[in-house]
Amino acid sequence: MKYSVLILLILTFSLSKLQAQDYKKDSLQFKIITSIKYKSSNVEHIKLKKVLCDFCTEKQTEQLGLQALKLAALEQDDPKNKMKNGIKILSIYIRLSKIDFSAIK
């Protein structure tokens, strides 16, 4: 009984690892840099610094930037990002399937 449970666990982990590899093959990852300016522990503004993508069209770059600004707004109150005064630089990674990315026009 113990061996059959052990074999079942090993097979489950092996299959999940194979599925994770397929996801990496069929997706694109983008790095977007944003900054959040704090003044007296309050957000003064959130700015898009740069979208790192060599092959994106202007529209795709714009859409990735807008999504990164939304994600930065969600991260602004996270204790690890919050500052009393100053600018916090965030690197945001967005992963999209190739099909979804090509649908952005």
Side-chain angles (χ1 to χ4, degrees), residues 17-32:
K17 188 160 180 107
L18 285 174
Q19 289 176 348
Q21 289 174 352
D22 289 341
Y23 178 72
K24 289 180 183 177
K25 286 181 190 175
D26 188 38
S27 64
L28 301 168
Q29 180 172 306
F30 305 96
K31 181 178 180 180
I32 298 104

Side-chain angles (χ1 to χ4, degrees), residues 13-100:
F13 288 124
S14 298
L15 288 175
S16 66
K17 188 160 180 107
L18 285 174
Q19 289 176 348
Q21 289 174 352
D22 289 341
Y23 178 72
K24 289 180 183 177
K25 286 181 190 175
D26 188 38
S27 64
L28 301 168
Q29 180 172 306
F30 305 96
K31 181 178 180 180
I32 298 104
I33 301 170
T34 60
S35 67
I36 304 173
K37 185 174 183 181
Y38 290 94
K39 188 171 185 178
S40 302
S41 297
N42 294 321
V43 175
E44 197 168 275
H45 61 78
I46 300 174
K47 224 184 229 183
L48 178 66
K49 291 288 194 181
K50 190 170 193 177
V51 176
L52 299 171
C53 181
D54 295 335
F55 52 86
C56 295
T57 65
E58 188 175 323
K59 184 68 173 176
Q60 291 168 333
T61 303
E62 180 184 328
Q63 290 300 317
L64 288 170
L66 290 174
Q67 186 63 33
L69 287 172
K70 290 176 186 176
L71 292 171
L74 293 173
E75 292 287 324
Q76 71 186 5
D77 293 326
D78 190 353
K80 67 181 178 188
N81 295 330
K82 201 147 176 108
M83 300 177 79
K84 181 103 174 136
N85 289 312
I87 298 174
K88 176 70 177 179
I89 305 293
L90 292 177
S91 294
I92 296 175
Y93 294 90
I94 296 176
R95 186 178 286 273
L96 290 172
S97 72
K98 291 177 183 177
I99 295 168
D100 292 340

